[in-house]
Amino acid sequence: MLLNRNFLTGILLIFLLLGALYYSNYLSYSFVSVEQEELTAESRRVEVHVQSHELHMVAPDHLKYDQPSIVSGRNDVVTVTPWLAPVVWEGTFNPVLLDSIYKLQNITVAATVFAVGKYVMFLKDFLETAEQHFFVGFRVHMYVFTDQPDSVPQIKMAADRQLTVLPVPSSKRWQEISARRMELIQKLIEEKLRNNIDYIFCLDVDSKFHGRWGTESLGGLIAVIHPGYYRDNRKRFPYERRPESRAYIATGEGDFYYCGGAFGGMLQEVHQLAKTCRTNFEADAKEGIEAAWQEESHLNRYMWVNKPSKVLSPEYLWQDFKARNPEVHIIRFSGVVKNYAAIRPNVE
Ligand code: UDP
Ligand code: MN
């Protein structure tokens, strides 16, 4: 009996020792293996997909492109925010390099656009020019929200691009159409996009693409600088100034004035933004207050607290009626000139 017990204890000890030896080996192995292992194209793709898109970028081997510099480049504009997010201007990025990096990630980009009432007339140009300039060569899924599904024009789309029409009710107030966008974007992400889409952009329909809008615009939370105010002192920004509103930003506060007509980022980020803006908008409405520029005011408040991870210069939403400033080397997306009285359901 005694011998038997000693024998068992011995076996147990040997197992314990072996286990400890194996574990320490495993630890040291797993630390060095990432650096030592040569990745094949296939394993690299899998690796990229598993990790978060924004941790670090993986480029294809032996890609040829212009040498980058840290001493010469754009010196007429600021290309980084005080919280060190890039500000994307023409000349700050290499489209070939970025496209190659994002090709490895096999991404899908969604875009939402609302065309309610007379605004369906903008769809044709919007969709046709998107086909020429918006994420060309990548998988793109357009979501068109409209009260007139039959009026959505048939656009010839590339094989990796598709369009889904989603019916929404008509409205008697443009403010309501504009404001409900956040709710519908939130629901779209919750009900249809989860797990299928990597990035999403939410865009105004009364606009056209004129130049590349691509992978350089990707990131966690993406805001676009409004073309109308970017040279102004922030005290002149049309933020919501009444402290009763949840969109309130005091004089002397705020970073930039961002557009309500274009924003985006990774799905979870845009979901959080849409949900927050919607909740705050509805809580305001219950107290009888509508922010100065509806969801644009709430978006500005959100982006002030939640700093965007990348900021797009006004190249990414210009206005056709505005003369081009010298620092704007290319206009990528621009709002068309429209007669508000003729196209909106109400004028005030
Ligand atoms: N919108 C719409 N029907 C309307 C009013 C607005 O579909 O009657 C949508 C449309 O997508 C539009 C967006 O809401 O681009 C924002 O409104 P608008 O473009 O008129 O605002 P602005 O850019 O002039 O501030
Ligand atoms: Mn617009």
Side-chain angles (χ1 to χ4, degrees), residues 36-182:
Q36 284 178 350
E37 203 179 355
E38 188 56 66
L39 293 176
T40 62
E42 188 52 37
S43 72
R44 186 178 288 223
R45 217 182 339 268
V46 172
E47 177 108 336
V48 168
H49 206 78
V50 170
Q51 65 185 219
S52 159
H53 291 326
E54 298 305 323
L55 284 182
H56 76 259
M57 291 182 160
V58 180
D61 288 332
H62 303 297
L63 182 73
K64 303 277 184 283
Y65 54 91
D66 289 347
Q67 180 187 350
S69 170
I70 58 160
V71 287
S72 76
R74 289 292 298 257
N75 53 16
D76 56 338
V77 286
V78 174
T79 59
V80 67
T81 68
W83 59 96
L84 298 178
V87 185
V88 184
W89 292 94
E90 177 70 355
T92 60
F93 62 91
N94 185 322
V96 176
L97 173 59
L98 281 168
D99 283 356
S100 316
I101 289 169
Y102 282 99
K103 270 283 167 204
L104 286 177
Q105 296 188 13
N106 203 15
I107 56 163
T108 302
V109 180
T112 62
V113 68
F114 288 74
V116 178
K118 298 214 173 106
Y119 280 60
V120 290
M121 71 192 215
F122 298 116
L123 271 175
K124 186 167 187 289
D125 282 351
F126 175 91
L127 293 169
E128 277 178 358
T129 57
E131 196 64 19
Q132 292 155 18
H133 302 291
F134 185 72
F135 285 94
V136 176
F138 287 84
R139 250 200 322 272
V140 171
H141 198 144
M142 290 282 180
Y143 291 89
V144 176
F145 291 86
T146 181
D147 58 342
Q148 302 148 77
D150 295 340
S151 309
V152 177
Q154 299 278 321
I155 303 290
K156 225 173 98 75
M157 295 178 89
D160 50 356
R161 301 167 78 93
Q162 56 176 317
L163 185 151
T164 299
V165 178
L166 299 164
V168 292
S170 312
S171 180
K172 291 197 169 57
R173 285 185 74 234
W174 64 265
Q175 294 90 338
E176 188 180 292
I177 299 165
S178 177
R180 277 207 71 202
R181 285 194 289 182
M182 289 297 184

Side-chain angles (χ1 to χ4, degrees), residues 119 181 204-207 261 317 335-336 338 340 344:
Y119 280 60
R181 285 194 289 182
D204 259 21
V205 73
D206 58 331
S207 5
L317 187 40
V336 303
K338 61 189 194 286
Y340 284 102
R344 281 182 172 174

Side-chain angles (χ1 to χ4, degrees), residues 199-233:
Y199 297 94
I200 180 169
F201 286 93
C202 308
L203 305 168
D204 259 21
V205 73
D206 58 331
S207 5
K208 281 192 238 180
F209 293 88
H210 302 276
R212 174 195 162 98
W213 179 322
T215 50
E216 73 283 358
S217 68
L218 295 177
L221 180 62
I222 307 298
V224 182
I225 303 274
H226 196 294
Y229 308 92
Y230 70 94
R231 289 165 162 217
D232 294 345
N233 187 291

